[in-house]
Amino acid sequence: MCGVVGLLLADTESHTEASHLLFESLFYLQHRGQDACGMATSGAKGRVFQCKGNGMASKVFQDGARVNDLPGYMGIAHLRYPTAGTSSSAESQPFYCNSPYGICLAHNGNLINAPELRRYLDEEAHRHVNTDSDSELMLNIFANALNDTGKVRVNVEDIFRSLTQMSQKCQGAWAVTAMIAGFGILAFRDPHGIRPLLMGTRPSTTIEGAMDYMFASESIALRQLGFKDYRDILPGEAVFVRKGGKAEFKQVVEMKSYTPDIFEQNMGLKLADKIRETLGDEGVRGIDVIVPVPETSNTSAAVVSERLKIPLSNAFVKNRFVFRTFILPGQKLRQKSVRRKLSAIESEFKGRTVCLVDDSIVRGTTSREIVSMAREAGAVRVYFASCAPPLVYPHIYGIDLASPQEMIAHEKTRKDIAQLIGADDLIYQDLDDLKQACAEAAPKGGVKEFEVGVFCGKYQTAIPEGYFGHLDEIRGKKRSMNGGEVLKGAIKASGPVNEVNGNNSFTLEIPVSALPKNADPTSLLSVSTAPRTPDNREDISIHNIASENN
Ligand SMILES: O=P(O)(O)OC[C@H]1O[C@H](OP(=O)(O)OP(=O)(O)O)[C@H](O)[C@@H]1O
Ligand SMILES: NC(=O)CC[C@H](N)C(=O)O
Ligand SMILES: [Mg+2]
């Protein structure tokens, strides 16, 4: 995901009000990325001030203490959940490049032709790129186009023209806020509008008749900070707000379609009907309670409960000090964190047939753990309903979900998956139903199409040859970062493994450093295939051992 923000105050004398507002906005968008965050501001003499690093906003900005080091009337900020490159702090954003004019950029999305852009920057543009980040490439492509104007000072038209050139060179998804030191704030979106970006305004608190401008990935940040009249930046559109000036808009590249990622939309309206279709009237009558997996599925579960006329029970309590799980690096960590994050209220489960509702199943970490928690709390039957259809293809536009092989639905039937997560039955939303539910929820005349490549493998942009192989390679590299070389091989197994995989073959990846000296890799199988009992989930961790450093 990633969150981006941009802000320009009308009052150019304001000292650190911009950085304080930006800091606050990061809390409203923190769920969009927890790996790293940062901010860059610019003030009176056009100097750029920055603070960024790994961790969440409160940590990086030392509970706000560092915000006072960031003066200026404008700035941009970023929350990172990596899709490309590594998790190193050097890749935290915004990125800064001094030539020309001092540009900072914060990017949500993913570029799918990074190798080609890297080659162009190196061999033709002679620009130094310091990290593996695709966002740094985008910044340099833009900077290079601006540089080609050959001007000492550019104007707004030059900026828009350079963005047109950049949009023609880059392929993939982007929602970007950028800042040109001493000049203004820029925001733009890819031709398909895959990642979200909005703009809002508010009257300046100090200069009568003047407006402050803010851009953000989600309206919540704008609303909470008093920015109103917000509107979407359209696909292919750019907005520049000049210091002390007004917003100027330009369609820098033709709008190809308007297909925001369906993950951003309201999910789950048709799920109730699907549950009835799958379980039948009898099955539905047997359900005692609908239980949301807090909080992302609360709304959908409430709709399901109302439509099926089954009581809703908030039978899982969320620990608000544990954060998002599936974006944590490392399967072991993710698994542990589900248990830390959610606790089951026994009295709500004891002796009941429950239907758990979550927004999605990716690797199956959450669903597997909570089905087993529901049983431990005394549930007699456990159904699991997912608002999203099975995820089986890579997400390539800015959500590094998992590689298809890690996704629990990969090459599995619904029944296989139900077995793997330990549920009595599993109900998935249909893709067509989901699209229809989202289209119905969109404002009149609004979005009708959505980016759904992760469910069906059909993407909005052409995919460069070899891109999926390249993705796997990057993920392999990430996995082995702490573990050194990775052994890979298909291993035939029998016995308890059958219970886990539903067939008797699987791919095992073991970081060499995780093995005892001179160990035969297959020796690990005896550890990982221990029989499954309520207290021993080692069998599931066959894959976990393999991808511990993922
Ligand atoms: O199948 P999995 O790999 O477990 O991924 C799916 C889970 O990931 C997301 O939750 P997340 O952990 O991000 O946190 P949240 O719902 O609390 O925001 C999503 O809401 C599912 O619960
Ligand atoms: N999730 C995102 O939008 C990530 C942005 C960018 N591709 C990065 O990895 O930093
Ligand atoms: Mg969740």
Side-chain angles (χ1 to χ4, degrees):
M1 265 167 291
C2 281
V4 296
V5 194
L7 176 72
L8 185 137
L9 301 176
D11 184 357
T12 54
E13 301 299 313
S14 60
H15 184 51
T16 56
E17 193 192 341
S19 54
H20 280 278
L21 283 169
L22 286 166
F23 178 57
E24 209 177 322
S25 73
L26 294 181
F27 287 93
Y28 296 116
L29 301 177
Q30 185 70 79
H31 54 277
R32 297 188 67 89
Q34 300 173 1
D35 273 48
C37 69
M39 194 192 300
T41 59
S42 172
K45 293 193 177 119
R47 183 164 295 179
V48 172
F49 300 86
Q50 287 189 85
C51 174
K52 59 177 189 166
N54 282 349
M56 295 205 270
S58 57
K59 177 183 164 215
V60 171
F61 295 98
Q62 296 169 357
D63 291 324
R66 298 291 306 278
V67 177
N68 294 321
D69 306 337
L70 301 166
Y73 55 88
M74 65 172 173
I76 59 173
H78 189 263
L79 293 151
R80 184 170 192 234
Y81 165 51
T83 58
T86 69
S87 301
S88 112
S89 63
E91 291 179 26
S92 54
Q93 301 195 30
F95 274 102
Y96 165 72
C97 106
N98 72 334
S99 172
Y101 321 117
I103 311 171
C104 297
L105 178 139
H107 167 218
N108 167 212
N110 190 42
L111 301 186
I112 59 175
N113 63 336
E116 180 191 324
L117 298 175
R118 194 171 290 278
R119 191 209 53 79
Y120 168 80
L121 287 170
D122 179 29
E123 293 174 15
E124 295 182 43
H126 309 301
R127 294 188 77 93
H128 173 68
V129 177
N130 206 43
T131 70
D132 289 332
S133 163
D134 55 336
S135 312
E136 192 188 3
L137 296 175
M138 175 175 247
L139 166 61
N140 276 279
I141 297 282
F142 173 53
N144 191 56
L146 264 187
N147 201 40
D148 282 350
T149 61
K151 292 187 178 173
V152 180
R153 294 279 178 269
V154 279
N155 59 32
V156 184
E157 268 317 305
D158 296 322
I159 292 175
F160 287 149
R161 212 171 305 117
S162 303
L163 276 184
T164 303
Q165 288 168 25
M166 189 221 77
S167 305
Q168 285 159 349
K169 278 216 159 58
C170 294
Q171 284 174 28
W174 56 87
V176 170
T177 53
M179 177 172 78
I180 301 183
F183 192 16
I185 293 283
L186 182 62
F188 53 94
R189 215 167 157 196
D190 70 67
H192 297 277
I194 296 172
R195 311 305 305 152
L197 190 61
L198 297 98
M199 178 184 114
T201 53
R202 69 170 197 190
S204 162
T205 47
T206 45
I207 301 185
E208 224 184 296
M211 298 305 264
D212 295 337
Y213 290 87
M214 186 167 182
F215 301 89
S217 300
E218 292 179 27
S219 57
I220 175 91
L222 303 176
R223 206 169 47 232
Q224 293 290 348
L225 298 173
F227 285 79
K228 299 208 173 95
D229 297 328
Y230 39 83
R231 75 137 167 109
D232 268 337
I233 308 299
L234 294 174
E237 186 181 42
V239 188
F240 185 73
V241 194
R242 184 201 294 252
K243 168 186 175 184
K246 288 205 167 92
E248 294 173 62
F249 299 83
K250 173 106 187 193
Q251 194 69 37
V252 290
V253 55
E254 190 194 337
M255 184 199 295
K256 293 261 172 62
S257 62
Y258 195 179
T259 51
D261 196 306
I262 207 153
F263 261 60
E264 305 291 341
Q265 309 291 322
N266 180 20
M267 291 204 261
L269 286 173
K270 311 242 171 204
L271 188 62
D273 299 344
K274 188 71 192 191
I275 294 177
R276 188 175 289 284
E277 190 189 312
T278 314
L279 300 180
D281 289 344
E282 186 87 353
V284 169
R285 262 196 300 277
I287 302 174
D288 296 308
V289 277
I290 303 289
V291 178
V293 178
E295 283 130 4
T296 47
S297 71
N298 287 358
T299 313
S300 326
V303 172
V304 168
S305 143
E306 204 179 302
R307 209 176 276 200
L308 296 181
K309 303 198 173 18
I310 299 171
L312 182 77
S313 167
N314 290 314
F316 282 111
V317 177
K318 188 168 177 178
N319 174 344
R320 61 193 136 107
F321 299 103
V322 177
F323 302 98
R324 303 205 62 181
T325 331
F326 103 95
I327 58 180
L328 288 175
Q331 180 66 4
K332 269 262 158 66
L333 191 58
R334 284 193 286 262
Q335 225 171 314
K336 220 189 251 168
S337 150
V338 174
R339 290 224 167 217
R340 271 194 216 136
K341 182 163 74 173
L342 300 169
S343 8
I345 305 174
E346 278 198 15
S347 56
E348 296 296 306
F349 286 102
K350 211 163 195 84
R352 288 179 158 175
T353 293
V354 299
C355 177
L356 311 179
V357 178
D358 202 359
D359 56 17
S360 59
I361 305 175
V362 184
R363 295 178 181 84
T365 320
T366 309
S367 42
R368 193 157 43 207
E369 286 303 315
I370 61 171
V371 166
S372 124
M373 285 161 72
R375 290 199 196 284
E376 287 161 29
V380 286
R381 283 183 86 72
V382 182
Y383 299 123
F384 198 97
S386 160
C387 301
L391 280 92
V392 277
Y393 292 94
H395 194 291
I396 60 169
Y397 297 125
I399 308 184
D400 187 16
L401 285 174
S403 61
Q405 289 78 3
E406 289 172 298
M407 292 174 176
I408 195 167
H410 179 65
E411 293 177 0
K412 300 272 186 342
T413 65
R414 187 173 61 84
K415 290 279 173 201
D416 289 343
I417 305 163
Q419 209 184 344
L420 283 173
I421 65 170
D424 292 291
D425 212 334
L426 169 65
I427 301 99
Y428 272 116
Q429 176 92 271
D430 275 343
L431 180 54
D432 282 344
D433 279 352
L434 176 62
K435 287 201 268 189
Q436 209 184 327
C438 292
E440 281 165 12
K444 262 215 157 90
V447 185
K448 289 277 171 287
E449 291 290 319
F450 300 91
E451 160 47 39
V452 289
V454 73
F455 304 118
C456 63
K458 289 190 196 108
Y459 299 95
Q460 288 302 317
T461 58
I463 312 296
E465 218 184 295
Y467 179 67
F468 291 113
H470 168 71
L471 259 191
D472 275 350
E473 205 177 295
I474 298 173
R475 288 191 172 117
K477 260 194 215 157
K478 270 199 217 165
R479 249 176 242 139
S480 56
M481 230 164 8
N482 307 323
E485 189 192 342
V486 171
L487 291 182
K488 213 175 175 179
I491 300 175
K492 286 272 176 200
S494 58
V497 175
N498 287 335
E499 291 172 26
V500 185
N501 287 33
N503 59 39
N504 67 351
S505 72
F506 61 97
T507 303
L508 185 64
E509 289 186 10
I510 306 167
V512 168
S513 62
L515 296 177
K517 260 210 163 107
N518 306 324
D520 170 2
T522 54
S523 67
L524 273 182
L525 288 179
S526 55
V527 178
S528 53
T529 57
R532 190 172 191 200
T533 64
D535 297 320
N536 181 357
R537 275 182 293 278
E538 283 301 293
D539 55 356
I540 314 171
S541 63
I542 292 169
H543 198 78
N544 300 348
I545 289 175
S547 49
E548 205 153 5
N549 298 316
N550 171 18

